[in-house]
Amino acid sequence: MTDRRSFLRGAFAAGVGGVATASVSGAAASVSGAAASEAGDAERPLRGFHGVHQAGVEEAPLPRTSVVAFDVIAENRRELADLMRAITDRARVLTAGGVPDGAGITAPPADSGVLGPDVPGGRLLVTAGVGASLFDGRFGLASRRPAGLTTMPTFPNDALDPAWCHGDLSLQLSARDEDTVVHALRDIARHTRGAAQIRWRMDGFVSPPRPSGTPRNLLGFRDGTANPAPADLGRLVWNADGGTFLVVRLIRMLVEFWDRVGITEQEQIIGRARDTGAPLDGDGEFDPPRFAADPIGKIIPLTSHIRLANPRTAQTEGSRILRRGFNYDRGVDAVGDLDMGLVFTCYQRDIASQFEAVQHRLKDEPLVDYVRPFGGGYFLVLPGARDDRDFLGRALLA
């Protein structure tokens, strides 16, 4: 109780005072463009915080990320609104950067100091969402739950652990450097203490293209080759209000088992060549597979991952998703096996007709012998904050 009231009276009351913010609006407006994916663009700022959409969806994945789910422990709707304002204010400050305020002799420092005395601006993406459980009876929001926002079910071949599933809120923090992500998480956790507590967290990383093209996952195959083109995102990803639906799937890969499988069998399971990423009937990574010319699956098996996930028919074209994959490595498990895999995230306008349609097509595919989905959840990524007076979730809480 003391911590919660401290949040309400102190952390939020401080607003954006933790970092000098005289130039926040200017800094946010002055940076634009997608995330840099090439080493030579390492110093290019990311897009600003404000906009119709939140950052972190359309941008190319950054090397480091943390996906965090929270349980809200605020006691009423007003306190929930204060929580969302605090998250928005901290995200606005952290993405803009600046010099943290000084603290009194006996006061704790206003900033953790992880990034030094001057927090760099334009090096962080913050993406916030809400889960179906936020729309229960606690805050009077039941009638406002979007019809498409449900609780992630257990699919065939899942091994879900409740401790790693769902959440009232989601937060994804992405940056080029791990300390930037850690700094942002500590800052937001500090300023929301007493109103939200972490339910689960998974850190991930994106490998650089080797030697070029789409980054690889820990099975050694390229991940995200067939994503929709930017021109299709308005139709497949963004809702009319500027939000989108996020699916998170935490998938352990049984890499030691996979590494004992012959390369030909691996490629038949995926449907692509491991070295180039090309479909088995093509030469380059982005060559479209010619499924219609191979109706019995002689070249690309009918049970291959790419053929089931995206059959490339007129009937299944609308179920395409914007896929973002991050690798994770948690060391070893209790019996000494490597504990690593994929933080799968995807965005779409409608979870049932897109992600779930794909998931049902993948039921019992050969790949299920080598992967174990154990966590994740469904979330509504809120529309963006339009300016420095707006906050994430304002329309929902009005």
Side-chain angles (χ1 to χ4, degrees):
M1 179 67 70
T2 300
D3 283 343
R4 184 179 64 82
R5 300 214 179 277
S6 295
F7 157 78
L8 293 170
R9 292 195 302 265
F12 176 70
V16 296
V19 176
T21 57
S23 61
V24 167
S25 297
S30 67
V31 294
S32 61
S37 60
E38 300 295 334
D41 292 335
E43 296 306 314
R44 181 182 299 171
L46 307 177
R47 58 151 282 189
F49 177 73
H50 296 133
V52 174
H53 310 305
Q54 288 192 64
V57 177
E58 293 191 12
E59 289 79 4
L62 295 175
R64 297 288 180 175
T65 198
S66 188
V67 180
V68 190
F70 294 82
D71 291 327
V72 173
I73 56 176
E75 291 191 347
N76 53 53
R77 190 155 159 177
R78 177 182 59 80
E79 292 182 6
L80 174 61
D82 286 346
L83 169 64
M84 298 309 298
R85 288 189 183 93
I87 291 174
T88 306
D89 285 342
R90 297 319 300 168
R92 185 182 286 120
V93 167
L94 291 165
T95 54
V99 179
D101 286 346
I105 296 176
T106 61
D111 184 80
S112 65
V114 170
L115 300 182
D118 189 350
V119 176
R123 297 291 180 266
L124 176 72
L125 295 174
V126 180
T127 313
V130 296
S133 57
L134 191 70
F135 295 85
D136 57 17
R138 290 172 292 166
F139 307 113
L141 297 176
S143 64
R144 299 194 174 196
R145 180 177 65 83
L149 182 62
T150 60
T151 300
M152 185 182 73
T154 300
F155 293 97
N157 313 123
D158 281 359
L160 299 184
D161 179 348
W164 285 94
C165 294
H166 317 307
D168 294 330
L169 299 177
S170 70
L171 197 65
Q172 183 165 1
L173 307 169
S174 299
R176 298 185 182 95
D177 301 306
E178 189 165 2
D179 60 353
T180 304
V181 173
V182 170
H183 173 267
L185 179 57
R186 286 175 60 177
D187 183 280
I188 292 173
R190 172 181 177 173
H191 285 84
T192 59
R193 185 172 178 83
Q197 61 188 24
I198 293 176
R199 180 180 179 88
W200 55 263
R201 165 194 171 193
M202 184 65 78
D203 297 334
F205 63 92
V206 176
S207 302
R210 301 185 190 277
S212 61
T214 307
R216 299 177 188 271
N217 60 36
L218 295 182
L219 296 181
F221 285 78
R222 303 185 187 217
D223 199 319
T225 297
N227 269 333
D232 293 327
L233 299 186
R235 175 172 58 90
L236 295 173
V237 173
W238 295 114
N239 293 315
D241 64 358
T244 183
F245 288 105
L246 164 67
V247 173
V248 181
R249 298 275 283 174
L250 307 179
I251 304 172
R252 182 171 179 179
M253 293 176 167
L254 308 180
V255 293
E256 290 154 316
F257 188 18
W258 178 257
D259 289 345
R260 295 194 294 270
V261 177
I263 184 63
T264 299
E265 184 177 352
Q266 288 186 1
E267 292 180 339
Q268 294 281 306
I269 289 172
I270 300 299
R272 293 186 179 274
R274 193 176 73 170
D275 56 353
T276 64
L280 295 180
D281 63 357
D283 298 315
E285 178 185 354
F286 299 103
D287 290 349
R290 298 183 293 274
F291 296 144
D294 181 26
I296 63 172
K298 183 177 180 180
I299 301 174
I300 302 179
L302 300 180
T303 57
S304 67
H305 184 77
I306 68 166
R307 192 157 192 161
L308 292 172
N310 183 6
R312 295 177 184 259
T313 65
Q315 293 75 23
T316 61
E317 198 278 336
S319 65
R320 297 170 65 202
I321 55 177
L322 177 61
R323 175 189 177 116
R324 302 299 194 198
F326 300 86
N327 302 317
Y328 80 81
D329 181 0
R330 297 195 294 172
V332 296
D333 64 14
V335 297
D337 290 332
L338 295 172
D339 185 352
M340 55 181 58
L342 182 71
V343 184
F344 169 94
T345 66
C346 70
Y347 301 93
Q348 56 268 292
R349 293 192 68 170
D350 184 83
I351 293 175
S353 65
Q354 292 178 266
F355 169 76
E356 289 187 350
V358 173
Q359 194 68 18
H360 290 309
R361 291 199 296 266
L362 292 172
K363 178 184 176 182
D364 295 332
E365 64 167 325
L367 188 60
V368 301
D369 290 336
Y370 307 96
V371 297
R372 291 288 183 274
F374 66 90
Y378 292 170
F379 301 95
L380 169 67
V381 173
L382 298 163
R386 304 300 182 97
D387 53 42
D388 57 10
R389 296 178 300 278
D390 197 7
F391 68 92
L392 300 172
R394 185 182 66 173
L396 178 67
L397 296 167

